[in-house]
Amino acid sequence: MSPLCAEHIRAGYGKRTVIEDLSLEIPRGKVTTVIGANGCGKSTLLRVLGRLLAPTAGRVTLEGRPLDALRPREVAQRLAMLPQSPAAPEGMTVGELAARGRQPHQPWYRAWSPEDDRIAASAMRATGVEDLQHVPLDELSGGQRQRAWVAMALAQETEVLLLDEPTTHLDLAHAVDVLELVVALCRDTGRTIVTVLHDLSLAARYSDHLVVLKDGRLVAEGSPAEVVTSALLNDCFGLKAHVFEDPHDGLTTVVPARHGL
């Protein structure tokens, strides 16, 4: 059974509908990436899956249970979401941020335990920021800061992790670094990870499963090799591009075509 499903979802903001009649099953233990042109509904879909936005029709299920029927603490114990450009209080350190991930698991009668400390430390170690635990977030590079936020999400110990544009504002080297981390976490822990990405080549290379949206509707899904074609990129993005299998690693690669050449 898929851990996270959307069934005939309609969602939007005010009177504006962004997603219409969208059904989707997220494969367990894989990295799924949602792609599509600007304004197609990628982040809106992730907000609906993370219960940050209530659909106006349809429903989302988490492990077979309606998401809106679960208490917020139950959701936070099973599903972690990292939004675009998250903010933290000024002066907060990496260690303090990671500790926040333990809040859903702390009962009212116990604020902190050695087990919480172990899990937070493990999350920082897994994301490569353990040596930075006493450093304020505003002193970190963009890539380090993203790793610190992922550490917080990992400390929640949820099976499902939603990452909305985790490479935003990062240069290519740091973007690759974060995505390598995402793939390693999925492989090493068996977590189900859903991301939203703008870079098509990175999405194709760092995903097990792609979901393609156009005008708020699901138009294609499957492995990168199945989904990413020149025709699809032209139809959904208005992009003329060459799509081929990288001879070095066999991964699907997208190269934009120069106009007039």
Side-chain angles (χ1 to χ4, degrees):
M1 181 178 67
S2 169
L4 189 61
C5 299
E7 302 172 3
H8 302 290
I9 291 298
R10 182 194 304 127
Y13 306 95
K15 296 181 178 180
R16 182 170 67 94
T17 297
V18 177
I19 294 175
E20 183 65 63
D21 194 26
L22 189 151
S23 295
L24 178 67
E25 293 188 5
I26 302 298
R28 187 183 299 275
K30 304 290 185 181
V31 176
T32 294
T33 300
V34 183
I35 61 174
N38 288 344
C40 72
K42 300 185 298 296
S43 291
T44 299
L45 172 60
L46 212 66
R47 287 172 58 82
V48 171
L49 293 177
R51 211 173 83 164
L52 297 181
L53 177 67
T56 56
R59 69 171 188 168
V60 175
T61 60
L62 180 61
E63 296 294 356
R65 300 175 62 188
L67 192 63
D68 60 3
L70 299 174
R71 293 177 300 170
R73 179 179 288 268
E74 289 182 284
V75 175
Q77 290 173 347
R78 293 168 172 80
L79 183 152
M81 180 166 179
L82 189 58
Q84 294 182 43
S85 305
E90 185 176 354
M92 174 172 280
T93 66
V94 171
E96 290 168 342
L97 181 65
R100 283 197 166 190
R102 299 304 304 152
Q103 290 178 352
H105 302 278
Q106 294 170 340
W108 63 268
Y109 53 83
R110 178 181 58 78
W112 190 256
S113 73
E115 179 70 358
D116 292 322
D117 193 56
R118 182 192 67 77
I119 293 169
S122 176
M124 288 186 287
R125 187 161 52 251
T127 53
V129 296
E130 189 175 30
D131 291 342
L132 301 171
Q133 61 181 300
H134 301 300
V135 178
L137 292 172
D138 51 16
E139 295 182 12
L140 301 180
S141 69
Q144 291 171 327
R145 194 176 299 114
Q146 281 295 77
R147 283 177 168 268
W149 282 103
V150 174
M152 183 201 72
L154 281 184
Q156 280 185 236
E157 286 201 312
T158 62
E159 181 189 337
V160 180
L161 179 58
L162 309 181
L163 304 173
D164 193 358
E165 299 188 32
T167 60
T168 298
H169 307 311
L170 299 183
D171 61 32
L172 182 57
H174 285 107
V176 167
D177 191 39
V178 169
L179 292 176
E180 288 283 358
L181 170 63
V182 168
V183 170
L185 291 173
C186 180
R187 180 187 63 236
D188 297 342
T189 68
R191 279 180 169 86
T192 299
I193 301 177
V194 185
T195 71
V196 167
L197 292 177
H198 278 293
D199 189 304
L200 298 176
S201 189
L202 291 179
R205 297 181 69 83
Y206 287 95
S207 307
D208 302 306
H209 189 79
L210 290 178
V211 170
V212 187
L213 301 187
K214 181 181 180 182
D215 299 329
R217 295 181 181 273
L218 175 67
V219 295
E221 65 172 314
S223 71
E226 295 169 331
V227 168
V228 181
T229 65
S230 295
L232 179 133
L233 296 178
N234 189 41
D235 178 55
C236 293
F237 297 88
L239 175 69
K240 294 187 182 299
H242 307 294
V243 179
F244 57 92
E245 182 181 286
D246 190 321
H248 296 288
D249 53 28
L251 297 175
T252 301
T253 302
V254 178
V255 177
R258 283 283 302 274
H259 292 190
L261 295 181

